[in-house]
């Protein structure tokens, strides 16, 4: 079964504003999740500058032996990335859907301050449903 291990949302200045651990293996503490987010933000920014291709938007997929890391960067610079089991399909569409949830439930929340950690119950509920329904869809294939 394909699995999503964790989800991160990083603001445009590199701060971790949301983290969700979806897996049961290798749970990270808060400091480790902050380190991963900071490291990814730095690698993403460096890859944009070093790319020989003009207009490169940074790393979108990092494949390792034990995990894949898929990244989606929105126009304002907010990065959404998931760490998942190698070969998990349709992560790009899941990330775009998570971005839609973010715009619908977080950015439209009058109590949310831009660039601050996300504390929105409706976003959490809909995000959990999206991840669970993605798992169900993957099992059906």
């Amino acid at each position: 079964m394909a699995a999503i291990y964790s989800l991160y949302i990083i603001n445009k200045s590199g701060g971790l504003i949301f983290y969700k651990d979806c897996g049961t293996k290798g749970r990270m503490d808060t400091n480790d999740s902050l380190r991963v987010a900071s490291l990814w933000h730095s690698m993403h920014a460096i890859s944009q500058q070093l790319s020989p291709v003009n207009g490169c938007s940074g790393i979108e997929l990092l494949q390792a032996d034990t995990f894949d890391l898929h990244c989606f960067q929105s126009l304002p610079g907010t990065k959404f990335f998931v760490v998942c089991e190698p070969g998990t399909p349709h992560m790009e569409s899941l990330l775009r859907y998570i971005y839609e949830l973010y715009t619908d439930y977080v950015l439209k929340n009058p109590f949310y301050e831009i660039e601050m950690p996300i504390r929105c119950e409706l976003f959490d509920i809909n995000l959990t449903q999206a991840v669970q329904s993605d798992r169900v869809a993957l099992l059906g294939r």
Side-chain angles (χ1 to χ4, degrees), residues 74-88:
S74 66
L75 289 176
T78 305
K79 291 175 202 64
F80 299 78
F81 70 94
V82 293
V83 178
C84 60
E85 190 173 283
T88 306

Side-chain angles (χ1 to χ4, degrees), residues 7-19 37 40-41 44 48 57-60 70-82 95-96 98-103 106-107 112-118 123:
L7 165 74
Y8 298 78
I9 301 176
I10 306 171
N11 63 21
K12 63 184 172 190
S13 59
L16 181 65
I17 58 174
F18 185 82
Y19 169 71
W40 180 253
H41 175 74
H44 197 270
Q48 287 176 320
S57 62
I59 302 171
E60 294 177 358
H70 295 263
C71 181
F72 169 74
Q73 181 173 347
S74 66
L75 289 176
T78 305
K79 291 175 202 64
F80 299 78
F81 70 94
V82 293
L95 285 170
R96 290 183 189 279
I98 291 170
Y99 176 63
E100 289 177 22
L101 293 176
Y102 172 76
T103 57
V106 177
L107 294 181
Y112 177 69
E113 294 183 38
I114 302 294
E115 305 289 313
M116 297 304 290
I118 298 171
F123 177 71

Side-chain angles (χ1 to χ4, degrees), residues 38-53 56-59 73 79:
S38 177
L39 179 64
W40 180 253
H41 175 74
S42 301
M43 286 176 45
H44 197 270
I46 291 169
S47 70
Q48 287 176 320
Q49 295 173 357
L50 294 179
S51 174
V53 178
C56 177
S57 62
I59 302 171
Q73 181 173 347
K79 291 175 202 64

